[in-house]
Amino acid sequence: MKKNILFIPYNINYIYIEEKKNLNKFLYLYNDNYFFSININYKQNIKINQDTNTVIIENRNFNNKLNLFNHEFDKFLYSWDNFFFNKIKFTGKGFKWKKKETNLFLFFNRAHKCFFIGNNIILKRLSKSKIIILKNNYKHLIHDSILIRVIRSNNIFTKRGLRFSRQIILKKKGKTASQ
């Protein structure tokens, strides 16, 4: 018998419902903004410890993906009330950006328009050349920040372009005149 132990944060409420007719069990998780339900089949037993806010689900059959489920479920519950962030800096003469709601318009002295349309994202201006991106899903944050960085990647000759805040900047050596 395999035990699956889930910790529910204290800012998330839960209700456990057991139907006698169909032998169905439901665990509802909710807070002010989100709602989530877990259906538990009849082969599983559930125990709830209200002191430690843990839910123990006992499985009769062994499944080797329970550890992965625990890890992903913990990240999912953590993202309900917390934000992840990424800082993007740009360097270059004459480079500007304008923010309208969750859209980012970049002016990089090009003939075509460069812009990023964000979905469920918060953009904040830190300074003239720095912006911070806030999102509650870490994987989507990384994907969106890479999309922004690809618009004008850092040039190794002039060091102009977009980069992450702590990204290592590589500078290529120029030609030296030997006389």
Side-chain angles (χ1 to χ4, degrees):
M1 187 174 289
K2 179 75 175 169
K3 289 184 180 179
N4 193 9
I5 300 171
L6 304 172
F7 173 72
I8 299 173
Y10 290 103
N11 54 1
I12 296 174
N13 304 319
Y14 59 89
I15 298 172
Y16 175 65
I17 298 174
E18 206 173 308
E19 291 182 357
K20 301 281 183 186
K21 293 177 183 176
N22 301 334
L23 299 174
N24 289 335
K25 301 170 191 174
F26 300 99
L27 181 66
Y28 293 102
L29 305 170
Y30 64 94
N31 67 358
D32 295 338
N33 301 324
Y34 301 106
F35 177 83
F36 184 71
S37 69
I38 300 174
N39 298 336
I40 301 165
N41 63 12
Y42 66 93
K43 294 181 181 178
Q44 297 172 331
N45 295 332
I46 188 166
K47 295 177 185 175
I48 298 174
N49 188 348
Q50 293 180 351
D51 296 332
T52 59
N53 257 15
T54 56
V55 176
I56 300 171
I57 301 172
E58 295 176 347
N59 292 326
R60 291 185 190 145
N61 52 357
F62 181 73
N63 188 354
N64 58 0
K65 297 193 180 188
L66 288 177
N67 291 336
L68 178 64
F69 173 75
N70 278 351
H71 183 66
E72 292 296 323
F73 189 73
D74 287 342
K75 284 196 307 190
F76 171 71
L77 289 179
Y78 182 76
S79 70
W80 274 19
D81 285 334
N82 299 312
F83 282 97
F84 301 100
F85 71 93
N86 207 346
K87 265 197 266 186
I88 294 182
K89 292 171 112 179
F90 64 90
T91 54
K93 197 172 182 182
F95 290 175
K96 294 182 264 182
W97 65 277
K98 188 189 284 187
K99 181 187 86 124
K100 288 187 180 177
E101 297 174 9
T102 60
N103 302 330
L104 184 66
F105 296 95
L106 303 161
F107 303 103
F108 288 142
N109 300 327
R110 290 187 173 179
H112 60 280
K113 294 180 182 178
C114 299
F115 58 90
F116 172 75
I117 299 172
N119 186 15
N120 296 332
I121 198 167
I122 300 171
L123 291 170
K124 295 285 181 183
R125 180 180 186 150
L126 295 178
S127 69
K128 185 179 176 183
S129 63
K130 294 179 193 170
I131 55 174
I132 190 166
I133 302 169
L134 296 163
K135 200 161 191 172
N136 62 354
N137 191 334
Y138 183 71
K139 290 181 183 177
H140 292 172
L141 171 76
I142 296 299
H143 182 263
D144 289 346
S145 53
I146 287 174
L147 282 177
I148 291 174
R149 192 184 67 177
V150 168
I151 291 174
R152 179 84 184 233
S153 58
N154 215 6
N155 190 347
I156 59 173
F157 295 106
T158 61
K159 294 181 8 182
R160 294 171 64 179
L162 291 166
R163 64 180 176 92
F164 291 130
S165 164
R166 293 181 176 229
Q167 180 181 345
I168 297 171
I169 303 169
L170 301 174
K171 174 83 169 125
K172 191 161 184 179
K173 279 188 167 182
K175 295 179 183 175
T176 55
S178 58
Q179 293 179 356

